[in-house]
Amino acid sequence: MERHNLKEYKTTSFWMNGVDEEIIFWNYAPALEMDITIARELVRDRLAYTHGRSVYALIDVTNLKTTTKEARDFMNSKDGGLKGLLGGAFLSNNVVATLLVNLYLKVNTPAIPARFFTNRQDALNWLLKIKMENAVLK
């Protein structure tokens, strides 16, 4: 998959696929240990990347090593990590990251559509599906 408009930050990188600018792709930096400071930085960087537009996100969490409860709570708040997100597909084949995301989704139940995947194309197809469903509802 080609990466269009790639922007790399200290803790993450964002890009688009060149086809749909309402879907961004997002990777964490290697061995990321997310605390509240990094969580705030991630959200600030994403909002800067999207210029405040609301988007769908395919988030590869493979590199996520740990996260604090405070960071998880912030990432699940409408004024924090959910700000500007219409839906999120989490992707990983890393056992630790998979456990963290599945725990997050079960305990926190995000206020936006969110699912976990181990296959990038399945995750993208799901985002396209919910995007289409939301367009029909408007």
Side-chain angles (χ1 to χ4, degrees):
M1 173 184 303
E2 282 191 54
R3 294 180 177 192
H4 294 272
N5 301 323
L6 175 65
K7 179 74 175 164
E8 294 179 326
Y9 296 88
K10 182 177 135 189
T11 57
T12 191
S13 58
F14 302 102
W15 69 93
M16 296 175 196
N17 65 2
V19 177
D20 190 328
E21 292 197 2
E22 281 189 285
I23 297 176
I24 63 167
F25 297 79
W26 168 357
N27 277 4
Y28 291 128
L32 184 68
E33 295 183 10
M34 189 188 310
D35 60 15
I36 188 63
T37 302
I38 290 174
R40 286 187 175 122
E41 183 179 322
L42 289 166
V43 172
R44 184 193 69 226
D45 292 344
R46 177 179 48 81
L47 292 171
Y49 180 77
T50 62
H51 304 287
R53 287 183 303 115
S54 293
V55 295
Y56 297 86
L58 195 158
I59 308 159
D60 188 332
V61 295
T62 300
N63 291 328
L64 184 61
K65 185 176 175 185
T66 62
T67 181
T68 65
K69 180 177 182 337
E70 188 179 21
R72 283 191 309 273
D73 290 346
F74 175 78
M75 294 303 277
N76 194 43
S77 69
K78 67 178 181 166
D79 295 324
L82 299 182
K83 184 175 184 176
L85 286 181
L86 301 169
F90 294 93
L91 175 70
S92 182
N93 57 7
N94 172 305
V95 174
V96 173
T98 299
L99 289 171
L100 288 171
V101 171
N102 278 324
L103 177 65
Y104 166 78
L105 291 174
K106 284 182 181 18
V107 172
N108 295 313
T109 314
I112 61 169
R115 277 186 61 186
F116 176 79
F117 296 88
T118 57
N119 177 283
R120 182 178 298 276
Q121 191 59 52
D122 290 346
L124 181 57
N125 289 344
W126 179 77
L127 284 172
L128 290 167
K129 178 184 171 206
I130 64 166
K131 180 184 169 206
M132 189 176 357
E133 290 170 356
N134 285 344
V136 169
L137 294 175
K138 286 183 181 178

Short mmCIF file of all heavy atoms in Angstrom, two decimals, residues 61-113:
data_model
loop_
_atom_site.label_atom_id
_atom_site.label_comp_id
_atom_site.label_asym_id
_atom_site.label_seq_id
_atom_site.Cartn_x
_atom_site.Cartn_y
_atom_site.Cartn_z
N VAL A 61 -1.28 -1.04 16.17
CA VAL A 61 -0.79 -0.96 17.56
C VAL A 61 0.29 -2.01 17.85
O VAL A 61 0.63 -2.24 19.01
CB VAL A 61 -1.95 -1.08 18.57
CG1 VAL A 61 -2.90 0.08 18.46
CG2 VAL A 61 -2.68 -2.40 18.40
N THR A 62 0.84 -2.60 16.81
CA THR A 62 1.84 -3.66 16.98
C THR A 62 3.00 -3.20 17.88
O THR A 62 3.50 -3.98 18.68
CB THR A 62 2.38 -4.12 15.62
OG1 THR A 62 1.27 -4.61 14.85
CG2 THR A 62 3.43 -5.20 15.74
N ASN A 63 3.42 -1.94 17.75
CA ASN A 63 4.57 -1.44 18.50
C ASN A 63 4.23 -0.98 19.92
O ASN A 63 5.12 -0.58 20.66
CB ASN A 63 5.22 -0.28 17.75
CG ASN A 63 5.89 -0.74 16.48
OD1 ASN A 63 6.39 -1.85 16.39
ND2 ASN A 63 5.90 0.12 15.48
N LEU A 64 2.96 -1.01 20.29
CA LEU A 64 2.57 -0.56 21.63
C LEU A 64 3.04 -1.58 22.67
O LEU A 64 2.61 -2.72 22.68
CB LEU A 64 1.06 -0.39 21.71
CG LEU A 64 0.50 0.17 23.01
CD1 LEU A 64 1.05 1.57 23.29
CD2 LEU A 64 -1.03 0.21 22.95
N LYS A 65 3.93 -1.12 23.54
CA LYS A 65 4.51 -2.02 24.55
C LYS A 65 3.69 -2.00 25.84
O LYS A 65 3.37 -3.05 26.40
CB LYS A 65 5.95 -1.61 24.83
CG LYS A 65 6.69 -2.53 25.74
CD LYS A 65 8.14 -2.09 25.87
CE LYS A 65 8.87 -2.93 26.89
NZ LYS A 65 10.23 -2.44 27.08
N THR A 66 3.36 -0.80 26.32
CA THR A 66 2.55 -0.67 27.54
C THR A 66 1.71 0.60 27.44
O THR A 66 1.99 1.49 26.63
CB THR A 66 3.42 -0.54 28.81
OG1 THR A 66 4.22 0.65 28.71
CG2 THR A 66 4.29 -1.75 29.03
N THR A 67 0.69 0.67 28.28
CA THR A 67 -0.11 1.88 28.39
C THR A 67 -0.63 1.99 29.82
O THR A 67 -0.99 0.98 30.43
CB THR A 67 -1.27 1.89 27.37
OG1 THR A 67 -2.00 3.10 27.50
CG2 THR A 67 -2.19 0.73 27.53
N THR A 68 -0.65 3.18 30.34
CA THR A 68 -1.15 3.39 31.70
C THR A 68 -2.67 3.53 31.66
O THR A 68 -3.26 3.84 30.62
CB THR A 68 -0.55 4.67 32.33
OG1 THR A 68 -1.02 5.81 31.60
CG2 THR A 68 0.97 4.62 32.36
N LYS A 69 -3.29 3.31 32.80
CA LYS A 69 -4.75 3.46 32.89
C LYS A 69 -5.15 4.90 32.56
O LYS A 69 -6.13 5.12 31.85
CB LYS A 69 -5.27 3.07 34.27
CG LYS A 69 -6.79 3.23 34.37
CD LYS A 69 -7.35 2.79 35.67
CE LYS A 69 -8.84 2.88 35.80
NZ LYS A 69 -9.57 3.78 34.97
N GLU A 70 -4.39 5.85 33.04
CA GLU A 70 -4.70 7.26 32.76
C GLU A 70 -4.65 7.54 31.26
O GLU A 70 -5.53 8.23 30.72
CB GLU A 70 -3.70 8.16 33.50
CG GLU A 70 -4.03 9.62 33.43
CD GLU A 70 -3.04 10.48 34.20
OE1 GLU A 70 -1.90 10.04 34.46
OE2 GLU A 70 -3.42 11.62 34.54
N ALA A 71 -3.68 6.97 30.56
CA ALA A 71 -3.57 7.15 29.11
C ALA A 71 -4.75 6.47 28.40
O ALA A 71 -5.34 7.04 27.47
CB ALA A 71 -2.26 6.58 28.60
N ARG A 72 -5.11 5.27 28.84
CA ARG A 72 -6.26 4.56 28.23
C ARG A 72 -7.54 5.36 28.42
O ARG A 72 -8.34 5.50 27.50
CB ARG A 72 -6.42 3.17 28.84
CG ARG A 72 -5.44 2.15 28.35
CD ARG A 72 -5.81 0.73 28.77
NE ARG A 72 -6.10 0.57 30.18
CZ ARG A 72 -5.20 0.32 31.12
NH1 ARG A 72 -3.93 0.19 30.81
NH2 ARG A 72 -5.56 0.17 32.38
N ASP A 73 -7.75 5.88 29.62
CA ASP A 73 -8.95 6.67 29.89
C ASP A 73 -8.99 7.91 29.01
O ASP A 73 -10.03 8.26 28.46
CB ASP A 73 -9.03 7.06 31.36
CG ASP A 73 -9.32 5.87 32.28
OD1 ASP A 73 -9.71 4.80 31.77
OD2 ASP A 73 -9.12 6.02 33.50
N PHE A 74 -7.87 8.59 28.87
CA PHE A 74 -7.79 9.77 28.02
C PHE A 74 -8.08 9.42 26.56
O PHE A 74 -8.83 10.12 25.88
CB PHE A 74 -6.41 10.43 28.14
CG PHE A 74 -6.23 11.59 27.21
CD1 PHE A 74 -6.81 12.83 27.49
CD2 PHE A 74 -5.49 11.45 26.04
CE1 PHE A 74 -6.65 13.91 26.63
CE2 PHE A 74 -5.33 12.52 25.17
CZ PHE A 74 -5.91 13.75 25.46
N MET A 75 -7.49 8.33 26.08
CA MET A 75 -7.69 7.93 24.68
C MET A 75 -9.13 7.52 24.41
O MET A 75 -9.58 7.53 23.27
CB MET A 75 -6.72 6.80 24.30
CG MET A 75 -5.26 7.21 24.31
SD MET A 75 -4.88 8.61 23.23
CE MET A 75 -4.70 7.78 21.66
N ASN A 76 -9.89 7.19 25.44
CA ASN A 76 -11.28 6.79 25.28
C ASN A 76 -12.26 7.93 25.59
O ASN A 76 -13.46 7.73 25.60
CB ASN A 76 -11.60 5.58 26.16
CG ASN A 76 -12.92 4.94 25.79
OD1 ASN A 76 -13.22 4.77 24.61
ND2 ASN A 76 -13.72 4.61 26.78
N SER A 77 -11.75 9.13 25.79
CA SER A 77 -12.64 10.25 26.13
C SER A 77 -12.96 11.08 24.88
O SER A 77 -12.13 11.21 23.99
CB SER A 77 -12.01 11.14 27.20
OG SER A 77 -10.90 11.83 26.68
N LYS A 78 -14.17 11.63 24.85
CA LYS A 78 -14.60 12.39 23.67
C LYS A 78 -13.79 13.67 23.48
O LYS A 78 -13.64 14.15 22.37
CB LYS A 78 -16.10 12.69 23.72
CG LYS A 78 -16.51 13.63 24.82
CD LYS A 78 -18.00 13.92 24.79
CE LYS A 78 -18.32 14.90 25.91
NZ LYS A 78 -19.61 15.49 25.79
N ASP A 79 -13.26 14.22 24.56
CA ASP A 79 -12.42 15.42 24.46
C ASP A 79 -10.94 15.06 24.37
O ASP A 79 -10.09 15.95 24.32
CB ASP A 79 -12.66 16.33 25.67
CG ASP A 79 -14.08 16.88 25.69
OD1 ASP A 79 -14.62 17.17 24.60
OD2 ASP A 79 -14.65 17.01 26.78
N GLY A 80 -10.63 13.78 24.35
CA GLY A 80 -9.25 13.31 24.27
C GLY A 80 -9.05 12.52 22.99
O GLY A 80 -9.19 13.04 21.89
N GLY A 81 -8.77 11.25 23.15
CA GLY A 81 -8.42 10.40 22.01
C GLY A 81 -9.51 10.19 20.99
O GLY A 81 -9.23 9.87 19.83
N LEU A 82 -10.77 10.36 21.37
CA LEU A 82 -11.86 10.16 20.40
C LEU A 82 -12.20 11.45 19.62
O LEU A 82 -12.95 11.40 18.65
CB LEU A 82 -13.12 9.66 21.12
CG LEU A 82 -12.98 8.31 21.83
CD1 LEU A 82 -14.30 7.91 22.47
CD2 LEU A 82 -12.48 7.24 20.88
N LYS A 83 -11.61 12.55 20.04
CA LYS A 83 -11.89 13.83 19.37
C LYS A 83 -11.46 13.74 17.90
O LYS A 83 -10.32 13.40 17.59
CB LYS A 83 -11.13 14.96 20.07
CG LYS A 83 -11.42 16.31 19.51
CD LYS A 83 -10.73 17.39 20.32
CE LYS A 83 -11.11 18.76 19.82
NZ LYS A 83 -10.51 19.80 20.65
N GLY A 84 -12.41 14.01 17.03
CA GLY A 84 -12.11 14.00 15.60
C GLY A 84 -12.06 12.63 14.97
O GLY A 84 -11.67 12.49 13.82
N LEU A 85 -12.48 11.59 15.70
CA LEU A 85 -12.51 10.24 15.12
C LEU A 85 -13.95 9.80 14.90
O LEU A 85 -14.79 9.94 15.78
CB LEU A 85 -11.81 9.23 16.02
CG LEU A 85 -10.30 9.29 16.07
CD1 LEU A 85 -9.76 8.21 17.00
CD2 LEU A 85 -9.69 9.14 14.68
N LEU A 86 -14.22 9.25 13.73
CA LEU A 86 -15.54 8.73 13.39
C LEU A 86 -15.62 7.22 13.57
O LEU A 86 -16.70 6.66 13.66
CB LEU A 86 -15.88 9.10 11.94
CG LEU A 86 -15.89 10.60 11.64
CD1 LEU A 86 -15.96 10.84 10.13
CD2 LEU A 86 -17.04 11.27 12.36
N GLY A 87 -14.47 6.56 13.60
CA GLY A 87 -14.39 5.12 13.79
C GLY A 87 -12.94 4.71 13.81
O GLY A 87 -12.09 5.39 13.22
N GLY A 88 -12.65 3.60 14.49
CA GLY A 88 -11.27 3.14 14.59
C GLY A 88 -11.14 1.65 14.46
O GLY A 88 -11.83 0.90 15.14
N ALA A 89 -10.26 1.23 13.56
CA ALA A 89 -9.92 -0.18 13.40
C ALA A 89 -8.51 -0.37 13.95
O ALA A 89 -7.57 0.28 13.50
CB ALA A 89 -9.98 -0.59 11.94
N PHE A 90 -8.38 -1.22 14.96
CA PHE A 90 -7.08 -1.50 15.56
C PHE A 90 -6.50 -2.74 14.88
O PHE A 90 -7.21 -3.71 14.65
CB PHE A 90 -7.22 -1.77 17.05
CG PHE A 90 -7.65 -0.57 17.83
CD1 PHE A 90 -9.00 -0.34 18.08
CD2 PHE A 90 -6.72 0.34 18.32
CE1 PHE A 90 -9.41 0.76 18.81
CE2 PHE A 90 -7.13 1.44 19.04
CZ PHE A 90 -8.47 1.67 19.30
N LEU A 91 -5.20 -2.70 14.59
CA LEU A 91 -4.54 -3.79 13.89
C LEU A 91 -3.29 -4.20 14.64
O LEU A 91 -2.52 -3.34 15.08
CB LEU A 91 -4.15 -3.30 12.49
CG LEU A 91 -3.33 -4.24 11.62
CD1 LEU A 91 -4.19 -5.43 11.18
CD2 LEU A 91 -2.80 -3.50 10.40
N SER A 92 -3.09 -5.51 14.80
CA SER A 92 -1.85 -6.01 15.39
C SER A 92 -1.75 -7.51 15.21
O SER A 92 -2.74 -8.21 15.13
CB SER A 92 -1.78 -5.70 16.88
OG SER A 92 -0.55 -6.16 17.41
N ASN A 93 -0.51 -7.97 15.17
CA ASN A 93 -0.23 -9.40 15.24
C ASN A 93 0.71 -9.68 16.41
O ASN A 93 1.22 -10.76 16.55
CB ASN A 93 0.35 -9.92 13.92
CG ASN A 93 1.61 -9.19 13.52
OD1 ASN A 93 2.15 -8.39 14.28
ND2 ASN A 93 2.09 -9.44 12.33
N ASN A 94 0.92 -8.66 17.25
CA ASN A 94 1.76 -8.75 18.44
C ASN A 94 0.87 -9.17 19.61
O ASN A 94 -0.16 -8.57 19.86
CB ASN A 94 2.40 -7.38 18.68
CG ASN A 94 3.13 -7.28 19.99
OD1 ASN A 94 2.57 -7.54 21.05
ND2 ASN A 94 4.37 -6.88 19.92
N VAL A 95 1.28 -10.19 20.34
CA VAL A 95 0.46 -10.75 21.42
C VAL A 95 0.18 -9.71 22.52
O VAL A 95 -0.95 -9.57 22.97
CB VAL A 95 1.13 -12.01 22.03
CG1 VAL A 95 0.37 -12.50 23.23
CG2 VAL A 95 1.25 -13.10 20.98
N VAL A 96 1.19 -8.97 22.94
CA VAL A 96 1.02 -7.98 24.00
C VAL A 96 0.06 -6.88 23.55
O VAL A 96 -0.89 -6.53 24.27
CB VAL A 96 2.38 -7.39 24.44
CG1 VAL A 96 2.17 -6.25 25.43
CG2 VAL A 96 3.25 -8.46 25.04
N ALA A 97 0.28 -6.33 22.37
CA ALA A 97 -0.59 -5.28 21.86
C ALA A 97 -2.02 -5.79 21.67
O ALA A 97 -2.98 -5.09 21.96
CB ALA A 97 -0.05 -4.72 20.54
N THR A 98 -2.15 -7.02 21.21
CA THR A 98 -3.47 -7.62 21.03
C THR A 98 -4.22 -7.69 22.36
O THR A 98 -5.39 -7.34 22.45
CB THR A 98 -3.34 -9.03 20.41
OG1 THR A 98 -2.72 -8.91 19.14
CG2 THR A 98 -4.70 -9.69 20.26
N LEU A 99 -3.54 -8.12 23.40
CA LEU A 99 -4.15 -8.20 24.73
C LEU A 99 -4.55 -6.80 25.22
O LEU A 99 -5.66 -6.62 25.75
CB LEU A 99 -3.21 -8.85 25.72
CG LEU A 99 -2.98 -10.35 25.54
CD1 LEU A 99 -1.86 -10.84 26.46
CD2 LEU A 99 -4.26 -11.12 25.80
N LEU A 100 -3.67 -5.82 25.04
CA LEU A 100 -3.97 -4.45 25.49
C LEU A 100 -5.20 -3.90 24.78
O LEU A 100 -6.10 -3.32 25.41
CB LEU A 100 -2.77 -3.53 25.25
CG LEU A 100 -1.57 -3.73 26.15
CD1 LEU A 100 -0.38 -2.90 25.66
CD2 LEU A 100 -1.90 -3.37 27.59
N VAL A 101 -5.26 -4.06 23.47
CA VAL A 101 -6.38 -3.50 22.70
C VAL A 101 -7.67 -4.24 23.02
O VAL A 101 -8.72 -3.61 23.22
CB VAL A 101 -6.10 -3.52 21.19
CG1 VAL A 101 -7.33 -3.15 20.39
CG2 VAL A 101 -4.96 -2.57 20.86
N ASN A 102 -7.64 -5.54 23.09
CA ASN A 102 -8.86 -6.29 23.40
C ASN A 102 -9.38 -5.94 24.79
O ASN A 102 -10.59 -5.79 24.99
CB ASN A 102 -8.63 -7.80 23.26
CG ASN A 102 -8.74 -8.24 21.82
OD1 ASN A 102 -9.56 -7.74 21.06
ND2 ASN A 102 -7.91 -9.19 21.43
N LEU A 103 -8.49 -5.78 25.75
CA LEU A 103 -8.89 -5.35 27.09
C LEU A 103 -9.51 -3.95 27.02
O LEU A 103 -10.57 -3.70 27.59
CB LEU A 103 -7.68 -5.35 28.04
CG LEU A 103 -7.96 -4.84 29.45
CD1 LEU A 103 -8.93 -5.77 30.17
CD2 LEU A 103 -6.67 -4.71 30.22
N TYR A 104 -8.86 -3.06 26.30
CA TYR A 104 -9.37 -1.69 26.13
C TYR A 104 -10.79 -1.71 25.54
O TYR A 104 -11.69 -1.05 26.05
CB TYR A 104 -8.42 -0.90 25.22
CG TYR A 104 -8.98 0.39 24.70
CD1 TYR A 104 -9.03 1.52 25.49
CD2 TYR A 104 -9.45 0.48 23.39
CE1 TYR A 104 -9.55 2.71 25.01
CE2 TYR A 104 -9.96 1.66 22.90
CZ TYR A 104 -10.01 2.78 23.72
OH TYR A 104 -10.52 3.94 23.22
N LEU A 105 -11.00 -2.47 24.48
CA LEU A 105 -12.31 -2.50 23.82
C LEU A 105 -13.38 -3.14 24.70
O LEU A 105 -14.53 -2.71 24.67
CB LEU A 105 -12.22 -3.24 22.48
CG LEU A 105 -11.41 -2.54 21.39
CD1 LEU A 105 -11.27 -3.44 20.17
CD2 LEU A 105 -12.03 -1.21 21.02
N LYS A 106 -13.02 -4.14 25.49
CA LYS A 106 -14.01 -4.80 26.34
C LYS A 106 -14.35 -3.97 27.58
O LYS A 106 -15.51 -3.88 27.97
CB LYS A 106 -13.49 -6.18 26.77
CG LYS A 106 -13.58 -7.21 25.67
CD LYS A 106 -13.11 -8.55 26.18
CE LYS A 106 -13.11 -9.68 25.22
NZ LYS A 106 -13.16 -9.51 23.84
N VAL A 107 -13.37 -3.35 28.19
CA VAL A 107 -13.58 -2.61 29.43
C VAL A 107 -14.13 -1.20 29.17
O VAL A 107 -15.01 -0.74 29.87
CB VAL A 107 -12.26 -2.54 30.24
CG1 VAL A 107 -12.41 -1.61 31.44
CG2 VAL A 107 -11.85 -3.93 30.69
N ASN A 108 -13.60 -0.53 28.16
CA ASN A 108 -13.93 0.88 27.95
C ASN A 108 -15.06 1.14 26.97
O ASN A 108 -15.65 2.20 27.01
CB ASN A 108 -12.69 1.65 27.50
CG ASN A 108 -11.64 1.68 28.58
OD1 ASN A 108 -11.94 1.97 29.73
ND2 ASN A 108 -10.42 1.35 28.23
N THR A 109 -15.36 0.25 26.08
CA THR A 109 -16.40 0.40 25.07
C THR A 109 -16.43 1.82 24.50
O THR A 109 -17.19 2.67 24.96
CB THR A 109 -17.79 0.03 25.63
OG1 THR A 109 -17.71 -1.18 26.36
CG2 THR A 109 -18.79 -0.13 24.50
N PRO A 110 -15.60 2.10 23.51
CA PRO A 110 -15.53 3.44 22.92
C PRO A 110 -16.89 3.91 22.39
O PRO A 110 -17.73 3.11 21.98
CB PRO A 110 -14.54 3.28 21.77
CG PRO A 110 -13.77 2.05 22.09
CD PRO A 110 -14.69 1.17 22.88
N ALA A 111 -17.07 5.23 22.39
CA ALA A 111 -18.33 5.84 21.93
C ALA A 111 -18.41 5.92 20.42
O ALA A 111 -19.39 6.41 19.88
CB ALA A 111 -18.47 7.23 22.54
N ILE A 112 -17.39 5.45 19.72
CA ILE A 112 -17.39 5.39 18.26
C ILE A 112 -17.25 3.93 17.85
O ILE A 112 -16.81 3.11 18.66
CB ILE A 112 -16.23 6.23 17.66
CG1 ILE A 112 -14.88 5.67 18.13
CG2 ILE A 112 -16.38 7.71 17.99
CD1 ILE A 112 -13.68 6.24 17.40
N PRO A 113 -17.60 3.59 16.61
CA PRO A 113 -17.38 2.21 16.18
C PRO A 113 -15.89 1.87 16.27
O PRO A 113 -15.04 2.64 15.80
CB PRO A 113 -17.85 2.21 14.72
CG PRO A 113 -18.76 3.39 14.61
CD PRO A 113 -18.25 4.40 15.58
#
